[in-house]
Amino acid sequence: MVIIMALAVPMMNSLKGAGNVTKAVYDINGILNQARTYAIANNAYVWVGFFEEDGSKNSAVNEATPGIGRVIVVSISSKNGTRNYDTANPPGKLDSTNLCAIDKLQKFDSLHLSSLNGQGAVPAIGGMARPVIMDNNYDLGNPACVASTGFSWPLQGGVSRYTFSKIINFDPRGVVRIQSASNGDFIPPYIEIGLQSAHGNVAPSLPSDQNQGNHAAIQIDGMTGSTRIYRP
């Protein structure tokens, strides 16, 4: 029995981790689809913000400690339907008085925003074969991906808990962008959100064969805003 338990525990942990990533990727995909639908239905601009904090810390006490292991996601909209910024002169922050939340803030434990494919990388085989992201600015887990349309949470009043700088924007047609200070009104072919399992504040190294391991990717078509999930 001792030998069986020693063999079973790592296997159960592995299955639990795989289940966490699978649930998270479908939940996040649902948030993105809801944001796109809201933008089109209400003729408004919608932003989906991502923040990653230290998963080893108590989220209720040590919120917004940047790190690895817990991904925070929230979606907001402009109240009057406007863009809230000039593409030629994007603000350092959106006007919070013209913003409203369209869903509650959600936390995903044991999860890491991963940069699965760097610029120019060849897509992996099998379930992870997908278009190459044209630029690191559109690979959400890459440090180079920083939006100029930042916002703080809560939106109005009180002490700021989170400051979001990794932000995907849906316009009233469902077109998707990540607005930076230098890309004007450019629509990327695809935006990618790479996700992998984490333990505390540590994310295991990805295997060389991306068709193995506990990770996933969501790609968003820039022109249509439609999403597709890739899983090994």
Side-chain angles (χ1 to χ4, degrees):
M1 288 297 294
V2 171
I3 294 172
I4 292 173
M5 289 300 295
L7 294 173
V9 170
M11 185 181 298
M12 292 301 293
N13 287 340
S14 177
L15 289 173
K16 181 175 181 289
N20 286 345
V21 172
T22 299
K23 183 180 185 306
V25 74
Y26 280 99
D27 285 351
I28 292 172
N29 190 63
I31 293 171
L32 295 168
N33 287 329
Q34 180 195 37
R36 177 180 179 273
T37 300
Y38 186 98
I40 296 171
N42 294 277
N43 195 35
Y45 284 83
V46 172
W47 296 266
V48 182
F50 291 76
F51 182 94
E52 187 168 1
E53 64 183 3
D54 189 333
S56 68
K57 297 185 180 296
N58 185 331
S59 181
V61 178
N62 302 102
E63 288 182 323
T65 303
I68 291 173
R70 184 181 298 115
V71 175
I72 315 299
V73 186
V74 70
S75 48
I76 64 172
S77 173
S78 57
K79 291 180 179 178
N80 61 7
T82 61
R83 191 195 294 260
N84 242 355
Y85 63 90
D86 177 358
T87 55
N89 299 286
K93 215 171 198 183
L94 296 175
D95 178 10
S96 63
T97 62
N98 187 37
L99 298 174
C100 63
I102 64 173
D103 199 1
K104 64 181 181 180
L105 181 138
Q106 299 193 46
K107 300 183 179 184
F108 298 92
D109 287 301
S110 303
L111 195 67
H112 172 52
L113 282 175
S114 174
S115 180
L116 293 175
N117 266 356
Q119 185 175 1
V122 178
I125 62 172
M128 293 301 292
R130 61 201 186 281
V132 176
I133 300 303
M134 65 169 292
D135 191 289
N136 289 336
N137 293 315
Y138 303 105
D139 180 1
L140 209 73
N142 195 293
C145 182
V146 177
S148 60
T149 52
F151 64 90
S152 296
W153 183 269
L155 295 175
Q156 291 97 24
V159 177
S160 175
R161 292 164 55 194
Y162 294 101
T163 299
F164 291 91
S165 61
K166 291 184 178 292
I167 302 163
I168 296 171
N169 172 219
F170 292 89
D171 75 11
R173 298 172 298 163
V175 174
V176 64
R177 299 173 176 85
I178 294 180
Q179 185 70 51
S180 72
S182 60
N183 64 6
D185 213 21
F186 180 73
I187 302 170
Y190 297 97
I191 290 172
E192 176 160 303
I193 305 169
L195 300 165
Q196 70 175 104
S197 64
H199 307 291
N201 59 359
V202 177
S205 298
L206 289 173
S208 57
D209 179 2
Q210 288 186 14
N211 204 35
Q212 299 178 3
N214 193 10
H215 56 271
I218 302 171
Q219 282 200 352
I220 313 171
D221 185 292
M223 285 299 298
T224 66
S226 61
T227 61
R228 181 174 177 180
I229 293 172
Y230 295 86
R231 199 81 166 90

